[in-house]
């Protein structure tokens, strides 16, 4: 709805007027209307736009159409009204011209402020979307202003005009009569046709920063004679999300709540009162919940969540509280966290966690909470989903990354089953292979030819420049028999008839002994590559059975385990 459609609806965000607030005996006006800006100096957070408009007026380079964009409550419609006053102000003596500082006392200024000027027409595009409404404007622009310098059309939420209405307006918008100015306001500029945007001078109004809102609300509270704790005002400034109007509505509610609490109209606005009013989780309870998560206390975390739920805190609010705390700890690690609403004990707690936790666990914790937030928000039974989310976070947030997990497995840091079964009788070579496949090159000493294993033969070929031959041995050579100076292997399509001769010549050159290399029949052992693949598959299966990995894969179904190693001839599982 348009902010100008009804005098009883709250107006856009703004700073303090010079006028004294109305007496308490009159009808009550909400703060957003009571403290509406009457000059550009009172419009907070939009200095760049004010400077541009001031220079344009001073140099008499006024556009015929202006478009104000931005989120709700930052001053779009208020800016349009101020522009209307600036262009039509005649000064206290009636001799003034357009000015960036309208006097506010001349008849045009007073009439525009009160919404009764006949030449300043405000239109709500949300309820006047058709081409017929635009045709009325097109017909009316032909006539000069009745009493003002310019006839001004303020169209709020202009993006809601129909396509035909926009098309009907294009020609008039491009070449309006010199006495007409168009002022558009919208929260969704992407829905305004490019043909309209190109005909307007555009101003993007910024969100108001929390520190500006804090100062603005503090001044209003002082004028209203209401006491408030500084953290309470900071909470309201943060909850406003850059919108002055939203913040003033919350402030109105907080003042009413404080009055009811005290019963005498002079109550103090406290931080806990504002937190309860906004439905935010208690900060200390969220900190206890975070501590339980980090300590792995699943039972304690569920008990804390149920206690908060019994007090009326929504599960999704608890998740948001955990996300806010995770965000605060992460920023504290890079010295970028400064929340004035925090108590000293909360700052100390966040600083302590920032020192103890690394970026990787914090990032995983954030991702788990982010995914869980949507699940809890859409759940039919939010408490159950919250409890399952807490268990998932506890078991998965401390999960090491795949590289760390592989190192733990190799070093024995994680209890696992033996990587290979005991060798069968007569299988000493296979046991040696399984030992040597993962051994670093520096540890693979070159034994005499009579004691070589297939893994040592592969390493010997690789280290002496027989790379293609080494690759064939690793991937495709399936042993039938390996004795001193004798190597018998099973025939495969990957090994041609010349393979035996090449391997025998290489072994003769590198060991100084003549080797008999030939194809045989019988049940062959797997190649080095096949054994490595089987070992990795076994590792993968056992890793997936670890509780932390199960929880991680449940949280991220598209995740996959990746081997972290330096073996150039490994097979991916």
């Amino acid at each position: 709805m348009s902010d100008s459609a009804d005098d009883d609806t709250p107006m856009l965000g703004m700073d303090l007027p010079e006028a004294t607030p109305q007496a308490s005996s009159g009808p009550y006006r909400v703060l957003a209307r009571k403290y509406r800006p009457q000059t550009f100096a009172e419009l907070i957070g939009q200095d760049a736009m004010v400077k541009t408009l001031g220079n344009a007026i001073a140099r008499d380079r006024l556009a015929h159409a202006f478009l104000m964009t931005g989120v709700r409550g930052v001053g779009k419609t208020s800016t349009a009204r101020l522009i209307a006053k600036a262009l039509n102000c005649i000064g206290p003596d009636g001799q003034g011209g357009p000015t960036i500082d309208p006097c506010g006392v001349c008849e045009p200024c007073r009439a525009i402020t009160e919404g009764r000027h006949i030449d300043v027409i405000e239109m709500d595009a949300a309820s006047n979307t058709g081409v017929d409404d635009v045709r009325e404007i097109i017909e009316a622009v032909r006539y000069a202003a009745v009493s003002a310098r310019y006839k001004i059309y303020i169209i709020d939420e202009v993006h809601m005009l129909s396509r035909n209405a926009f098309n009907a307006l294009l020609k008039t918008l491009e070449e309006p009569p010199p006495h007409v100015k168009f002022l558009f306001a919208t929260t969704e500029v992407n829905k305004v046709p490019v043909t309209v945007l190109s005909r307007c001078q555009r101003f993007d109004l910024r969100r108001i920063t929390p520190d500006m809102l804090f100062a603005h609300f503090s001044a209003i509270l002082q004028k209203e004679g209401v006491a408030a704790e500084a953290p309470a005002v900071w909470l309201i400034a943060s909850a406003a999300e850059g919108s002055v109007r939203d913040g003033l509505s919350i402030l109105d509610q907080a003042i009413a709540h404080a009055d009811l609490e005290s019963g005498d109209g002079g109550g103090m606005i406290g931080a806990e009162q504002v937190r309860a009013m906004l439905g935010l989780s208690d900060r200390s309870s969220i900190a206890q919940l975070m501590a339980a998560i980090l300590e792995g206390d699943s039972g304690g975390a569920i008990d804390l969540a149920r206690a908060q739920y019994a007090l009326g805190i929504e599960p999704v609010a608890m998740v948001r509280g955990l996300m806010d705390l995770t965000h605060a700890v992460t920023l504290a690690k890079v010295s970028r966290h400064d929340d004035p609403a925090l108590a000293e004990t909360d700052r100390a707690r966040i600083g302590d966690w920032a020192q103890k936790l690394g970026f990787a666990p914090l990032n995983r914790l954030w991702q788990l909470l982010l995914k869980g937030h949507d699940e809890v928000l859409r759940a039919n039974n939010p408490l159950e989903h919250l409890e399952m989310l807490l268990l998932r976070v506890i078991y998965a947030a401390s999960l090491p990354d795949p590289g760390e997990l592989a190192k733990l497995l190799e070093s024995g840091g994680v209890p696992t089953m033996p990587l290979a079964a005991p060798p069968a009788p007569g299988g000493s070579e296979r046991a040696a292979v399984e030992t040597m496949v993962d051994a670093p090159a520096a540890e693979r000493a070159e034994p005499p030819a009579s004691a070589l294993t297939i893994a040592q033969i592969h390493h010997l070929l690789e280290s002496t420049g027989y790379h293609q031959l080494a690759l064939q041995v690793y991937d495709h050579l399936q042993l039938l028999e390996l004795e001193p100076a004798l190597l018998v292997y099973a025939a495969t399509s990957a090994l041609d008839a010349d393979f035996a001769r090449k391997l025998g010549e290489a072994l003769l050159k590198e060991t100084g002994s003549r080797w008999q290399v030939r194809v045989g029949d019988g049940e062959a052992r797997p190649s080095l590559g096949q054994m490595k693949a089987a070992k990795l598959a076994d590792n993968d299966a056992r890793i997936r059975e670890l509780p932390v990995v199960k929880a991680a894969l449940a949280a991220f179904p598209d995740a996959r385990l990746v081997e972290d190693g330096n073996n150039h001839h490994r097979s991916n599982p």
Side-chain angles (χ1 to χ4, degrees), residues 14-155:
M14 50 215 85
D15 208 335
L16 302 176
E18 297 296 332
T20 303
Q22 65 179 34
S24 58
S25 58
Y28 178 72
R29 288 191 299 165
V30 295
L31 296 178
R33 292 186 59 227
K34 188 174 182 179
Y35 294 97
R36 178 183 302 163
Q38 301 303 316
T39 66
F40 281 105
E42 297 169 4
L43 190 70
I44 62 174
Q46 311 300 342
D47 297 340
M49 179 199 66
V50 173
K51 182 177 180 180
T52 302
L53 282 172
N55 291 341
I57 292 174
R59 297 172 183 175
D60 194 23
R61 299 179 64 88
L62 290 168
H64 58 268
F66 298 89
L67 175 68
M68 273 67 69
T69 75
V71 298
R72 67 194 186 281
V74 293
K76 298 183 296 298
T77 308
S78 294
T79 299
R81 290 172 176 167
L82 290 176
I83 293 175
K85 289 170 64 175
L87 297 183
N88 286 323
C89 179
I90 59 175
D93 58 0
Q95 303 300 316
T99 175
I100 194 63
D101 297 311
C103 67
V105 297
C106 65
E107 177 57 26
C109 284
R110 292 201 313 271
I112 293 172
T113 299
E114 296 168 6
R116 56 179 175 81
H117 201 295
I118 192 172
D119 293 318
V120 178
I121 301 96
E122 294 194 25
M123 169 182 167
D124 179 17
S127 54
N128 299 275
T129 62
V131 67
D132 291 336
D133 301 305
V134 172
R135 282 176 181 154
E136 291 181 10
I137 297 176
I138 296 172
E139 290 295 324
V141 298
R142 296 184 299 174
Y143 303 102
V146 175
S147 62
R149 186 178 295 113
Y150 293 102
K151 179 180 284 188
I152 295 177
Y153 289 90
I154 299 175
I155 303 180

Side-chain angles (χ1 to χ4, degrees), residues 317-545:
M318 289 184 245
V319 180
R320 287 178 188 144
L322 289 171
M323 292 176 68
D324 290 341
L325 193 51
T326 304
H327 179 253
V329 174
T330 306
L331 290 185
K333 286 192 69 65
V334 292
S335 303
R336 290 296 184 273
H337 181 258
D338 184 21
D339 185 355
L342 282 180
E344 195 60 35
T345 54
D346 293 327
R347 292 176 184 273
R349 184 187 293 116
I350 288 175
D352 182 56
W353 281 335
Q355 291 181 352
K356 293 179 179 178
L357 297 173
F359 283 109
L362 285 170
N363 182 62
R364 284 192 290 273
L365 179 59
W366 173 264
Q367 294 296 333
L368 288 166
L369 291 172
L370 182 62
K371 185 176 185 297
H373 176 271
D374 292 338
E375 295 177 356
V376 174
L377 186 63
R378 298 192 304 265
N380 294 328
N381 193 325
L383 181 60
E384 289 184 358
H385 278 70
L386 174 63
E387 291 175 353
M388 295 303 294
L389 171 62
L390 292 176
L391 293 175
R392 183 195 311 166
V393 169
I394 288 172
Y395 286 104
S398 59
L399 174 70
D401 58 44
E404 294 173 349
L405 192 59
K407 291 177 182 177
L408 288 172
L409 287 172
E410 292 294 335
S411 64
V414 177
T416 62
M417 295 176 61
L419 294 184
S428 58
E429 290 86 359
R430 176 170 179 176
V433 166
E434 292 174 340
T435 302
M436 292 301 298
V437 163
D438 295 319
E443 300 177 4
R444 298 173 187 171
E446 302 298 341
S450 59
L452 284 177
T453 66
I454 190 62
Q456 292 169 327
I457 290 174
H458 166 259
H459 173 64
L460 176 64
L461 295 172
E462 180 69 30
S463 61
T464 53
Y466 295 93
H467 300 299
Q468 182 62 31
L469 201 57
L471 185 61
Q472 290 178 309
V473 168
Y474 186 89
D475 286 338
H476 306 296
L477 193 144
Q478 299 177 5
L479 274 177
L480 288 167
E481 185 177 356
L482 180 61
E483 300 292 342
L486 172 65
L487 190 154
V488 183
Y489 64 94
T492 64
S493 58
L495 301 178
D496 56 26
D498 207 28
F499 171 77
R501 179 186 62 79
K502 292 178 181 178
L503 180 58
E505 291 176 354
L507 291 174
L508 172 61
K509 181 178 179 181
E510 300 303 328
T511 64
S513 301
R514 187 174 298 279
W515 282 69
Q516 182 181 0
V517 180
R518 59 181 174 81
V519 176
D521 296 322
E523 184 177 352
R525 305 161 196 163
S527 67
L528 293 175
Q530 291 169 336
M531 284 191 286
K532 179 67 173 180
K535 177 182 175 182
L536 291 175
D538 183 58
N539 284 354
D540 182 274
R542 284 183 288 103
I543 290 173
R544 289 177 182 272
E545 290 300 316

Side-chain angles (χ1 to χ4, degrees), residues 254-277:
I255 292 174
H257 193 70
D259 289 348
L260 291 174
E261 287 290 326
S262 63
D264 58 5
M268 165 77 73
I269 300 178
E272 291 308 315
Q273 166 205 343
V274 172
R275 186 176 296 278
M277 183 186 73

Side-chain angles (χ1 to χ4, degrees), residues 289-308:
L289 185 57
M290 175 68 83
I293 290 173
L294 297 179
E295 293 169 4
D297 183 5
S298 56
I302 290 177
D303 289 341
L304 285 168
R306 290 178 177 176
Q308 284 284 288

Side-chain angles (χ1 to χ4, degrees), residues 272-288:
E272 291 308 315
Q273 166 205 343
V274 172
R275 186 176 296 278
M277 183 186 73
L278 296 175
L280 302 175
S281 295
D282 177 65
R283 195 184 296 271
S284 62
S285 299
I286 289 297
Q288 294 174 18

